[in-house]
Amino acid sequence: MPRISNIIERFIKEMLEETENGIIEIGRNELAEQFGCAPSQINYVLTTRFTPYKGYYIESRRGGGGYIKIMKVGIEEDQGMGDLIINVIGDTITKNKAYHLIEGLMEENIISKREERLMKAAVGDTALASVTMGRNNLRADILKNMLLILIR
């Protein structure tokens, strides 16, 4: 039996797929009620499964039941995505966050499985083993350059 987090994630992703613009607005409390869980469980799913590194942008509104707007950001559709990539990655990125971002590109069919493996190898700890200081800075630079080439 799938965990409640997986069920909630699948439900939200299906809702996003059904929209024309890739944007949904949901009530945190209503969603929690629907799945018979605490609103904090919804927060957990949103903060761990719908991150910018995985291609999602979330806006949260307090009051009125705690509505949340979730947007699926498609790189090929958005000219400003280069700026978003640079801002999301910033000057430094951990291996796990880099991998999540790369996996999100793969899930969206923006890159192939082979490209995913190559990108992960380039930013992985094995490739950067000789870097003792600033490893996450170098990882960010490598990843930004690869991603900016992909969207041009």
Side-chain angles (χ1 to χ4, degrees):
M1 176 122 192
R3 292 180 42 204
I4 188 73
S5 298
N6 295 340
I7 295 168
I8 295 167
E9 175 187 15
R10 190 174 333 116
F11 177 80
I12 293 172
K13 284 183 175 179
E14 286 173 2
M15 285 179 64
L16 283 165
E17 286 175 13
E18 292 173 5
T19 66
E20 288 181 27
N21 60 359
I23 300 172
I24 59 169
E25 245 186 68
I26 56 174
R28 183 185 354 250
N29 293 340
E30 289 82 10
L31 199 56
E33 209 171 284
Q34 180 177 343
F35 287 102
C37 64
S40 61
Q41 183 72 38
I42 304 301
N43 286 343
Y44 169 78
V45 171
L46 292 173
T47 58
T48 59
R49 314 274 176 103
F50 294 90
T51 66
Y53 300 103
K54 293 184 179 182
Y56 297 95
Y57 176 75
I58 297 180
E59 288 180 8
S60 186
R61 277 195 317 213
R62 301 266 183 226
Y67 275 85
I68 301 161
K69 182 190 265 187
I70 304 171
M71 292 176 260
K72 179 69 177 156
V73 181
I75 287 180
E76 71 279 20
E77 300 166 5
D78 187 354
Q79 293 292 16
M81 192 58 174
D83 293 333
L84 181 59
I85 288 170
I86 291 168
N87 293 332
V88 166
I89 296 171
D91 294 331
T92 182
I93 190 167
T94 65
K95 181 186 83 169
N96 287 340
K97 287 183 180 178
Y99 278 20
H100 285 303
L101 196 149
I102 294 166
E103 288 163 3
L105 294 171
M106 170 66 188
E107 287 175 12
E108 289 299 309
N109 296 316
I110 294 167
I111 61 173
S112 68
K113 184 68 176 166
R114 182 173 188 231
E115 290 166 330
E116 176 194 27
R117 288 192 309 265
L118 286 168
M119 292 175 78
K120 283 181 173 180
V123 298
D125 288 337
T126 303
L128 303 176
S130 64
V131 179
T132 55
M133 303 249 329
R135 181 181 293 180
N136 287 341
N137 297 88
L138 179 58
R139 187 185 332 268
D141 289 341
I142 292 168
L143 184 58
K144 283 188 282 191
N145 280 292
M146 286 190 292
L147 295 176
L148 291 172
I149 291 300
L150 279 176
I151 63 173
R152 291 191 176 157

